[in-house]
Each structure stands twice: as structure tokens, then as C-alpha cells.
Amino acid sequence: LEGDLYGAAATSSKVAIRGFECGTASASLVTAARLFEHSRDVLLRSGGLAEIVAKVERIALRAQMLQLRGRLQAQEYDLRTWLEHLGDHSIVLGHALSQKQQGGNFVDIAQCASEIALIVPMGEVAALPDVNSLHALLAPASFRGSGAFASLGEADVEIGYAPASCWATTFCVAAVDVHSSGFVEQAACLGYFERIRFEAASLCGYGDASERVLSMSTAGAHIAYLSFFRQGERVEV
């Protein structure tokens, strides 16, 4: 999965998707998120920002937007990750899983934009030094794929407060979902949303729409991370 590092700006590798990772669109989305999470870590720790990343306590995902253009199949895909944008306190990376067509062209099947913050030991967000000079690290447009990629800056998604009368439950964070950082792995949050939505639908939490929810899969997600959970913590949903 480590693949090739293209200078400081991007990484590319071949990945083989297995049958149990792509049975539905929902499973495909979680699989893509895990692959993107790994390749994101590889690029940040090995690319042009490696020296900066090495000085921080941890890498925090602030938000990500994922989109499937088709359900994954049990076959090989090309995985690309690149530096899309650098801000004063944030890094935006682009990701794509691509499928080779009969004519030799590649089509993106899954795409993602992720916004990263670097956290220093005091728990504060680190400022990127000399951002203007770092812009030379951004990947060229030719590497970014088929043009359907949407950046976080273009997304106008606002999630309001949950109604007081909505269906709710709690669960405990298990060790199997915890990253080496000590917090819940980012892709695991997608799995939480999927399982809880089906739990709610099975108990008629969506009223007349509950039966329809039970037959559906997720093809896209926009997630903003406001905090991070640890093993053993109780979570209200």
C-alpha cells in the first residue's frame, strides 16, 4: 500500500479490494475511508511536510467529504493522495480510488477531500510556517483525476441541532476502534453512523420512512469532527 511518492506532493499505489470490503455501497464507503486514512498518513509523514509533521503531537482530521461514483468491486484499484490546499492552520488533501477501463483510461470510483490540523503538545493547532513557500508542494492538476473532485471549501453543508424528540441511544467505544493515537479511528465513525442508523430504522426511529431506510446504502458523507472519543467512553447518538 505504500506505493510511489511523487516528490513532496502526492503518493500513488495499487490496492486490492476484497469481497467482504465491498458488499454494499456503505461497506465500500468505509473501506475507501480506511484506505484514504492510511495513504494520508503516508503522504504527511513521508512527503514535503514530513519535517513539520514530525514536530507535532498528532494529526487531527477536522472534516472530510467522501463520495462514491459506484460500488467497489473485488479487484485492483489505483489509490492516489495529494496535497490540494495549504492554509495558515490547515492542510487539505485530495484522495481518489480509480478503476482502469478497457481503453486504458482511469475513472475515479471513490473521491474524498480531507481537512487536517496539526496538534502540538499543548493541545493547540499548529500554524504552518511560511505557507506561501509551501505552495510549491501542491500537486499539479494533471495528478488530480477526472475533475469531479469537490474541495471542502466548495461544500456548503451545515448540520443543525438534533430535535428534542428524535430517536437516541448510547454505546461504549470499544478497543477495536481505537487508533494508535489513543482516539477513535476516523473511518470507524462512518461505521458508527451506519450501524446506528439501521438500529434506529429497525425500531421505527424514522417513522413511515423506517422500512425504506433499512433497504438503503450510503454513497456519500460529509463529516465534521468536533471532538474525539477514547476507549471506554460512553457516546450518545
Side-chain angles (χ1 to χ4, degrees), residues 1-4 12-19 21-22 31 35 71-80 96-102 104-110:
L1 185 61
E2 305 309 322
D4 299 314
S12 177
S13 59
K14 302 282 187 182
V15 294
I17 304 297
R18 294 158 291 187
E21 296 176 307
C22 59
T31 294
L35 291 171
R71 183 169 64 84
L72 299 179
Q73 305 293 325
Q75 63 182 57
E76 186 176 80
Y77 290 87
D78 274 60
L79 170 62
R80 306 190 314 282
L97 268 178
S98 304
Q99 184 180 40
K100 191 173 184 179
Q101 305 297 297
Q102 288 186 347
N105 294 325
F106 285 87
V107 174
D108 291 347
I109 302 300

Side-chain angles (χ1 to χ4, degrees), residues 4 8 23 50 55 77 87 95 113 115 135 141 172 175 180 193 197 204 213:
D4 299 314
K55 297 176 181 178
Y77 290 87
H95 312 270
E115 183 183 8
H135 282 167
C172 181
S180 61
F193 297 149
R197 184 172 66 253
C204 295
V213 172

Side-chain angles (χ1 to χ4, degrees), residues 10 27 48-49 61 86-87 103 109-110 118 120 147 156 160 182 188 194 200-201 204 206 222 232:
L49 297 175
L61 182 63
L86 294 170
I109 302 300
L118 304 178
V120 296
D156 185 15
E194 290 295 308
C204 295
Y206 296 99
H222 183 107

Side-chain angles (χ1 to χ4, degrees), residues 15-228:
V15 294
I17 304 297
R18 294 158 291 187
F20 66 85
E21 296 176 307
C22 59
T24 64
S26 293
S28 297
L29 196 68
V30 173
T31 294
R34 286 202 169 101
L35 291 171
F36 295 153
E37 184 173 350
H38 181 94
S39 63
R40 181 164 61 238
D41 191 71
V42 170
L43 179 59
L44 289 174
R45 296 186 187 280
S46 305
L49 297 175
E51 186 175 339
I52 297 172
V53 171
K55 297 176 181 178
V56 303
E57 184 174 81
R58 63 186 177 92
I59 301 169
L61 182 63
R62 279 179 163 175
Q64 63 177 335
M65 183 169 59
L66 300 105
Q67 185 68 45
L68 286 180
R69 303 182 72 189
R71 183 169 64 84
L72 299 179
Q73 305 293 325
Q75 63 182 57
E76 186 176 80
Y77 290 87
D78 274 60
L79 170 62
R80 306 190 314 282
T81 293
W82 63 91
L83 292 176
E84 174 75 17
H85 174 75
L86 294 170
D88 292 335
H89 294 84
S90 65
I91 304 166
V92 176
L93 293 95
H95 312 270
L97 268 178
S98 304
Q99 184 180 40
K100 191 173 184 179
Q101 305 297 297
Q102 288 186 347
N105 294 325
F106 285 87
V107 174
D108 291 347
I109 302 300
Q111 300 172 320
C112 175
S114 56
E115 183 183 8
I116 305 297
L118 304 178
I119 309 299
V120 296
M122 295 297 292
E124 298 177 349
V125 177
L128 294 180
D130 197 6
V131 172
N132 290 333
S133 66
L134 292 175
H135 282 167
L137 300 177
L138 298 181
S142 59
F143 191 87
R144 301 180 186 185
S146 57
F149 176 81
S151 72
L152 285 165
E154 296 168 350
D156 185 15
V157 179
E158 184 175 346
I159 302 174
Y161 292 101
S165 60
C166 71
W167 187 91
T169 189
T170 63
F171 68 92
C172 181
V173 174
V176 70
D177 292 328
V178 176
H179 188 271
S180 61
S181 65
F183 298 94
V184 169
E185 122 181 73
Q186 296 145 5
C189 291
L190 278 173
Y192 289 163
F193 297 149
E194 290 295 308
R195 291 183 179 89
I196 297 301
R197 184 172 66 253
F198 273 79
E199 180 73 9
S202 71
L203 297 173
C204 295
Y206 296 99
D208 294 340
S210 295
E211 284 296 325
R212 193 151 46 103
V213 172
L214 288 172
S215 65
M216 301 173 73
S217 289
T218 304
H222 183 107
I223 306 173
Y225 296 87
L226 304 179
S227 185
F228 300 91

